């Protein structure tokens, strides 16, 4: 991709949000660590830069600095919080510790001349509710700058050198708590930097198809299709680019949900006309999982086995040079930062797409610059069915980690039936997109006493998990309507043999995780 905005990350927890907002304005942007190699950043010819916030004080000896090449480009720059202080200091202004640290909501007053950053916000809206989070503040402006906004605690809440297109904001326009913050970022990209808002799903598809054709040429590509939105959009884009050169391998691990294997085959083979090789490896997975109850071992076994089966099937295809993966932008960004290595391992995530590099394939990753919501928009533009585009996340190890204790065919069938009822009811109530971002049933390794008809029962317990979340890093349990819960419970107990009790999980994440294992 060419043009757009380069965002330099100085360590703020909100940097990804800046990228989201710019993309929402249909302007392409890329995120880089502040100390990325200049050639890497400049390769996409940014028409402007945004400097993110960060947890440092510009005066700390080891604080990140503003790399010289940024100013040398003579393109507009917007510094946010720490980014603004860096810009001010670099250009000859003075930054000092504020008498009072300012965290949370504040009101700023827009003053100074009309300018393209605030555009039509000023006037008539001369006051904005914003989100602040800083310890240092600008005490003296650099030459050529004017004050564009002030707050009770920050005499320079926004500054600008209109002639050079250099701006700074003490507050965070990228967070939802800042009034009209998304508009300010859009103004910067479009009015200050002159970017064309042509980053749309249709444009992405067109560019991506051309890039895939160029990369792949006349070679063949194999793609592991799971039926999830990422692998589905990846496969569809590649199919559109190189048609029959793509073969998709769909491994039925036996750990999938009700009707899922049939739906995937129907959609991709019948509806979309792709070369799809379904492999039913249920027996193989069940045998490998026999007697295993430890969650991490289950994850490991499913992950390992998946790779084996995939390798075996891919080998049958003959000479294949490329492997398609549905890697997304957040994975790319995270894998660069130190956070990933430092984070404690809570559970081993196994991605159906995450195959080892030593498989001797070259990678095709058409989604590596997209966020999840953009992948969905592209999926819609490609005409994929709603059930796929809006499919909730499903873990690689599948139902193996939703059956606590040993995984057997009988227990899988019990869970599938209960889960099928839950999803049917939630879909019917219109809650699968907005009401809960992830919902599923869990089969517990205990039995409980009940009474049915006139007899005592001693049967399985099913737990229902439904959460609301933005990023799956934290989550709250969904406050589902009680009548709906009653109907789900009734139907499961009546329709699923061997289950006599249903419980609802009311734990948030943290301290619990979303999955039970
Ligand atoms: P937890 O349980 O860690 O889950 O709160 C967070 C999100 O990740 C999903 N998940 C996985 N996704 N492979 C995946 O691709 C996995 O092994 C895996 N384990 C959990 C989980 O469903 C939730 O959306």
């Amino acid at each position: 991709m060419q043009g757009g905005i380069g965002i330099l990350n100085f360590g703020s927890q909100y940097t990804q949000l800046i990228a989201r907002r710019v993309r929402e304005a249909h302007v392409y942007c890329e995120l880089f660590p502040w100390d990325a190699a200049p050639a890497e950043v400049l390769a996409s010819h940014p028409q402007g830069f945004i400097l993110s916030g960060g947890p440092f004080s510009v005066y700390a000896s080891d604080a990140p600095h503003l790399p010289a090449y940024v100013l040398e480009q003579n393109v507009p720059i917007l510094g946010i919080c720490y980014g603004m202080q860096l810009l001010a200091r670099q250009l000859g202004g003075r930054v000092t510790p504020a008498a009072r640290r300012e965290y949370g909501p504040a009101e700023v007053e827009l003053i100074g001349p009309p300018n393209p950053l605030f555009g039509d916000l000023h006037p008539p809206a001369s006051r904005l509710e914003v989100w602040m989070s800083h310890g240092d503040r600008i005490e003296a402006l650099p030459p050529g700058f004017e004050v564009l906004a002030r707050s009770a605690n920050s005499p320079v809440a926004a500054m600008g050198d209109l002639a050079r297109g250099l701006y700074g904001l003490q507050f965070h326009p990228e967070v939802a708590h800042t009034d009209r913050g998304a508009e300010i970022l859009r103004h910067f990209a479009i009015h200050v930097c002159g970017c064309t808002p042509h980053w749309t799903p249709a444009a992405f598809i067109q560019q991506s198809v051309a890039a895939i054709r160029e990369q792949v040429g006349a070679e063949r590509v194999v793609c592991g299709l799971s039926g999830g939105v990422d692998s589905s959009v990846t496969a569809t884009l590649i199919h559109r680019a190189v048609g029959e050169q793509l073969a998709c391998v769909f491994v039925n691990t036996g750990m999938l949900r009700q009707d899922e294997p049939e739906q995937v085959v129907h959609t991709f083979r019948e509806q979309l006309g792709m070369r799809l090789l379904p492999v039913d490896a249920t027996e193989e997975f069940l045998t490998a999982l026999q007697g295993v109850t430890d969650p991490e071992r289950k994850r490991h076994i499913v992950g390992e086995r998946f790779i084996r089966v995939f390798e075996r099937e891919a080998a049958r295809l003959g000479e294949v040079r490329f492997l398609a993966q549905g890697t997304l932008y957040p994975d790319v960004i995270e894998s660069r930062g130190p956070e990933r290595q430092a984070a404690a391992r809570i559970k081993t995530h196994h991605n159906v797409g995450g195959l080892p590099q030593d498989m001797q394939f070259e990678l095709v990753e058409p989604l590596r610059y997209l966020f999840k919501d953009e992948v969905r928009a592209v999926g819609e533009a490609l005409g994929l069915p709603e059930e796929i585009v809006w499919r909730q996340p499903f873990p690689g190890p599948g139902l193996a980690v939703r059956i606590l204790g040993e995984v057997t065919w009988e227990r899988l069938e019990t869970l599938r039936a209960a889960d099928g009822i839950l999803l049917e009811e939630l879909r019917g109530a219109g809650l699968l997109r907005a009401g809960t971002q992830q919902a599923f049933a869990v089969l517990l390794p205990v039995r409980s006493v009940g009474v049915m008809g006139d007899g005592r029962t001693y049967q399985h317990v099913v737990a229902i998990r439904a959460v609301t979340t933005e990023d799956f890093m934290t989550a709250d349990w969904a406050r589902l309507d009680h009548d709906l819960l009653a109907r789900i419970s009734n139907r499961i107990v009546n329709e699923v043999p061997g289950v006599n009790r249903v419980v609802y999980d009311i734990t948030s994440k943290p301290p619990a995780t979303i999955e039970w294992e």
Side-chain angles (χ1 to χ4, degrees):
M1 307 296 155
Q2 296 288 304
I5 304 288
I7 302 169
L8 293 192
N9 185 5
F10 290 91
S12 158
Q13 51 182 321
Y14 304 126
T15 309
Q16 277 205 28
L17 283 180
I18 303 176
R20 301 280 300 266
R21 298 290 167 264
V22 174
R23 299 261 186 108
E24 279 162 19
H26 302 300
V27 171
Y28 182 68
C29 64
E30 279 190 49
L31 232 164
F32 301 95
W34 68 272
D35 54 354
E40 187 194 348
V41 180
L42 298 177
S44 64
H45 302 288
Q47 289 166 266
F49 288 99
I50 297 180
L51 316 177
S52 84
F56 311 94
S57 160
V58 283
Y59 288 107
S61 56
D62 53 352
H65 59 270
L66 180 59
Y69 75 88
V70 175
L71 282 165
E72 284 162 11
Q73 301 310 305
N74 288 320
V75 295
I77 302 175
L78 171 64
I80 295 174
C81 199
Y82 181 75
M84 174 204 207
Q85 289 149 14
L86 272 184
L87 196 60
R89 184 155 181 243
Q90 188 87 8
L91 295 172
R94 200 169 64 245
V95 182
T96 58
R100 231 165 26 93
R101 287 170 165 261
E102 204 174 12
Y103 291 109
E107 191 182 72
V108 299
E109 187 188 356
L110 305 186
I111 52 177
N115 61 81
L117 186 68
F118 292 133
D120 55 5
L121 305 182
H122 171 51
S126 59
R127 284 174 191 279
L128 295 177
E129 280 291 326
V130 301
W131 188 261
M132 294 273 196
S133 169
H134 65 109
D136 290 349
R137 70 179 197 186
I138 311 276
E139 204 63 34
L141 289 170
F145 276 77
E146 298 175 80
V147 179
L148 300 180
R150 66 178 168 220
S151 76
N153 195 41
S154 298
V156 185
M159 64 175 196
D161 175 335
L162 277 54
R164 288 195 286 170
L166 304 177
Y167 291 88
L169 297 172
Q170 188 59 77
F171 56 88
H172 289 271
E174 67 276 24
V175 304
H177 312 282
T178 291
D179 257 358
R180 310 182 71 174
E183 274 174 77
I184 296 174
L185 288 168
R186 180 165 54 83
H187 289 166
F188 176 70
I190 294 175
H191 302 318
V192 179
C193 302
C195 297
T196 318
H198 55 200
W199 177 251
T200 59
F204 169 80
I205 292 169
Q206 200 184 15
Q207 290 172 25
S208 173
V209 163
I212 295 167
R213 280 194 190 131
E214 189 180 322
Q215 186 189 359
V216 169
E219 303 283 339
R220 292 163 68 193
V221 190
V222 60
C223 177
L225 194 64
S226 69
V229 61
D230 304 341
S231 67
S232 301
V233 172
T234 301
T236 312
L237 274 172
I238 296 175
H239 183 248
R240 194 168 276 203
V242 297
E244 289 287 294
Q245 286 162 250
L246 169 73
C248 295
V249 175
F250 168 60
V251 180
N252 179 0
T253 57
M255 309 295 136
L256 301 178
R257 289 169 292 189
Q258 203 166 46
D259 302 330
E260 218 160 20
E262 296 78 9
Q263 270 169 12
V264 171
V265 174
H266 177 77
T267 306
F268 290 91
R269 188 187 270 170
E270 318 300 333
Q271 270 179 271
L272 299 171
M274 290 192 202
R275 259 180 83 200
L276 178 68
L277 310 173
V279 187
D280 187 352
T282 306
E283 277 304 319
E284 196 171 330
F285 279 85
L286 273 176
T287 308
L289 286 166
Q290 218 164 34
V292 179
T293 54
D294 177 69
E296 279 297 286
R297 272 204 67 210
K298 283 189 200 170
R299 285 177 169 273
H300 193 75
I301 289 171
V302 178
E304 280 278 322
R305 184 71 29 191
F306 182 86
I307 291 165
R308 294 263 169 74
V309 175
F310 186 87
E311 267 177 333
R312 199 173 63 211
E313 296 304 318
R316 277 187 223 226
L317 293 170
E319 190 67 16
V320 177
R321 175 151 160 214
F322 292 98
L323 171 71
Q325 291 208 126
T327 314
L328 302 194
Y329 201 32
D331 305 328
V332 175
I333 300 169
E334 268 172 41
S335 64
R336 297 199 285 223
E339 319 84 72
R340 178 161 273 196
Q341 292 85 20
R345 171 164 293 185
I346 309 295
K347 45 181 100 161
T348 310
H349 275 212
H350 150 59
N351 276 321
V352 164
L355 296 161
Q357 302 271 346
D358 64 5
M359 283 183 70
Q360 312 288 333
F361 288 115
E362 285 171 48
L363 294 179
V364 187
E365 296 178 306
L367 310 184
R368 64 181 284 118
Y369 292 105
L370 299 195
F371 290 106
K372 191 86 173 184
D373 47 346
E374 293 177 311
V375 174
R376 292 213 159 98
V378 169
E380 277 178 342
L382 285 167
L384 285 173
E386 170 159 353
E387 313 86 74
I388 287 183
V389 171
W390 289 98
R391 205 173 92 135
Q392 294 191 341
F394 186 61
L399 300 186
V401 291
R402 293 178 180 172
I403 291 178
L404 277 57
E406 191 184 359
V407 181
T408 62
W409 178 253
E410 192 194 358
R411 301 189 78 207
L412 274 166
E413 286 296 277
T414 304
L415 180 59
R416 266 195 268 271
D419 191 65
I421 292 170
L422 169 70
L423 296 183
E424 188 181 315
E425 287 294 333
L426 290 173
R427 192 172 298 116
L431 294 175
L432 274 189
R433 252 165 85 161
T436 163
Q437 281 67 49
Q438 199 169 7
F440 51 89
V442 181
L443 186 62
L444 304 190
V446 291
R447 288 202 278 173
S448 83
V449 173
V451 53
M452 275 188 192
D454 289 327
R456 174 187 191 271
T457 59
Y458 186 51
Q459 295 180 331
H460 298 299
V461 182
V462 163
I464 303 292
R465 181 72 159 147
V467 296
T468 53
T469 175
E470 272 191 20
D471 54 12
F472 299 88
M473 305 288 285
T474 61
D476 197 6
W477 56 280
R479 306 309 197 252
L480 293 183
D481 177 65
H482 288 182
D483 290 338
L484 175 68
L485 284 171
R487 200 161 53 244
I488 292 167
S489 156
N490 250 323
R491 281 195 57 195
I492 291 177
V493 170
N494 282 304
E495 295 174 32
V496 184
V499 175
N500 69 352
R501 192 178 294 266
V502 175
V503 296
Y504 189 48
D505 181 349
I506 52 167
T507 333
S508 60
K509 170 185 179 176
T513 52
I514 296 176
E515 303 286 347
W516 278 45
E517 284 195 338

